[in-house]
Amino acid sequence: MEQEKKKRILSGIQPTGTFTLGNYIGAVRNWGKLQDDYECLYMVADLHAITVRQNPADLRRQTKEASALLLACGIDPKKSLLFVQSQVPAHTQLSWVLSCCTQFGELSRMTQFKDKSAKHADNVNAGLFTYPVLMAADILIYNADLVPVGADQKQHLELARNVAQRFNSQYSDTFTIPDPYIAKAGAKIMSLAEPEKKMSKSDENANSYILLLDDPETIRRKCRRAVTDSDGIVRFDAENKPGVSNLMTIYSCMTGKEMDEIETEFSGKGYGDFKDAVAESIIAELTPVQQEYQRILNDKEYLEGVLKEGAQHAQYIADRLVQKVYRKTGFYQL
Ligand code: TRP
């Protein structure tokens, strides 16, 4: 029987500092799990990163580190393409054409633009404004069927769909209309300090998040300090017990245990025991990831080889699409 063509997935992450446990559980860990069922392309979005000021040496180092970390988290270059966005110039070529199919008003409505321009009021650059167009190019250039995105990127994906539809109807059918990929066990991890907020590395309080590269002592300390409540009962109730419920979600993601199993495991025990168990489960999961990360980072030849091959392959796919778009747009072909 002929094998059904696998759907194509594309996602990207910005290389701005190490990922949090929230990025890992909510996104990156799942990327590795999709590789057998989908044709996956994963990208380190360094072009997007410069919409806010970056120190060049840090950006270069963080791009390398983010790539190594993605590999350590389970992206297998034999199954998926891993590449750095700036190494595939076709993205910026398509981005220009798409920007001429995107309305000023549409971009003005993007909530992330509003948030970021308020936060970086001294640098509201045009790139920050057209950021979603480049993101649309990232997706459409590979004819991706599915895009795993968090809630904060949903609006950008919606824009990509609109732009694709507009191009298709103005010229002719060219782009696949991408759908969001909603992970089955997509858990959202909240801040350890304020469990009503999402865990974020841009939080001022460093105790509110766990980083993938935190050492065991730091993980233990952050878990012990996590905000809970005064009930003393390990029970899942996201509304009334957000802190405990968040720790339970983390524990469940680390161990594969169901919530009722966890409730039984800790019935009659205090939060101290529970928090220690959560910490140990995180350490057990992250230790091999950290070791693999160090190994890859030290093997420069391997890492560069993977990224070079990834970029070449991505460029090959992307170039064909750009040629097609240029032709349809009416650019003179020699
Ligand atoms: N904008 C995304 C973020 O900040 C990163 C990104 C860039 C992306 N291009 C993408 C995500 C394409 C999905 C698809 O998280």
Side-chain angles (χ1 to χ4, degrees), residues 10-14 43 45 48 85 112 116 131 134-135 138-139 147-149 152-153 156:
L10 177 125
S11 201
I13 191 159
Q14 292 194 39
M43 180 185 76
H48 278 107
Q85 190 184 24
Q112 192 174 73
K116 284 199 179 175
Y131 175 115
L134 178 60
M135 183 164 155
D138 297 336
I139 298 165
V147 184
V149 284
D152 60 330
Q153 299 295 325
H156 292 162

Side-chain angles (χ1 to χ4, degrees), residues 109-315:
R109 286 194 292 274
M110 294 292 125
T111 54
Q112 192 174 73
F113 171 71
K114 292 187 215 167
D115 293 347
K116 284 199 179 175
S117 47
K119 204 165 148 196
H120 304 277
D122 61 334
N123 184 22
V124 185
N125 61 76
L128 192 64
F129 188 65
T130 58
Y131 175 115
V133 180
L134 178 60
M135 183 164 155
D138 297 336
I139 298 165
L140 302 180
I141 206 164
Y142 299 107
N143 277 320
D145 298 293
L146 295 165
V147 184
V149 284
D152 60 330
Q153 299 295 325
K154 274 249 176 75
Q155 201 185 18
H156 292 162
L157 183 60
E158 195 53 44
L159 181 88
R161 291 168 55 88
N162 291 338
V163 171
Q165 264 149 358
R166 200 169 300 148
F167 187 96
N168 286 354
S169 67
Q170 191 175 335
Y171 297 96
S172 64
D173 213 17
T174 308
F175 296 119
T176 302
I177 311 300
D179 284 311
Y181 176 85
I182 315 286
K184 284 187 201 84
K188 186 168 167 193
I189 304 302
M190 313 303 281
S191 153
L192 298 180
E194 295 165 81
E196 303 77 24
K197 282 196 333 201
K198 192 178 141 184
M199 181 181 283
S200 162
K201 65 191 160 198
S202 54
D203 201 310
E204 283 151 30
N205 179 359
N207 286 319
S208 72
Y209 52 79
I210 290 173
L211 296 175
L212 281 204
L213 300 177
D214 277 349
D215 59 44
E217 238 355 275
T218 307
I219 294 173
R220 288 190 190 104
R221 179 172 46 79
K222 288 179 176 175
C223 285
R224 258 181 244 130
R225 290 206 187 159
V227 166
T228 48
D229 51 54
S230 53
D231 277 5
I233 301 164
V234 176
R235 184 168 51 81
F236 191 85
D237 178 350
E239 199 164 318
N240 300 307
K241 295 166 70 66
V244 169
S245 302
N246 186 40
L247 290 174
M248 288 179 75
T249 303
I250 294 174
Y251 190 62
S252 167
C253 290
M254 296 292 103
T255 60
K257 291 178 188 167
E258 302 290 339
M259 292 304 173
D260 52 355
E261 261 178 274
I262 301 172
E263 289 175 0
T264 313
E265 183 178 349
F266 295 99
S267 90
K269 294 187 187 152
Y271 287 159
D273 286 347
F274 172 54
K275 287 176 167 181
D276 286 343
V278 174
E280 295 314 315
S281 73
I282 299 170
I283 294 165
E285 168 104 7
L286 294 190
T287 300
V289 173
Q290 294 176 354
Q291 285 167 348
E292 184 63 359
Y293 168 73
Q294 285 306 337
R295 190 187 68 74
I296 294 168
L297 209 54
N298 291 332
D299 191 347
K300 195 172 162 209
E301 207 178 317
Y302 170 75
L303 182 59
E304 289 186 354
V306 166
L307 293 178
K308 211 174 252 177
E309 209 169 290
Q312 274 169 1
H313 196 155
Q315 179 75 20

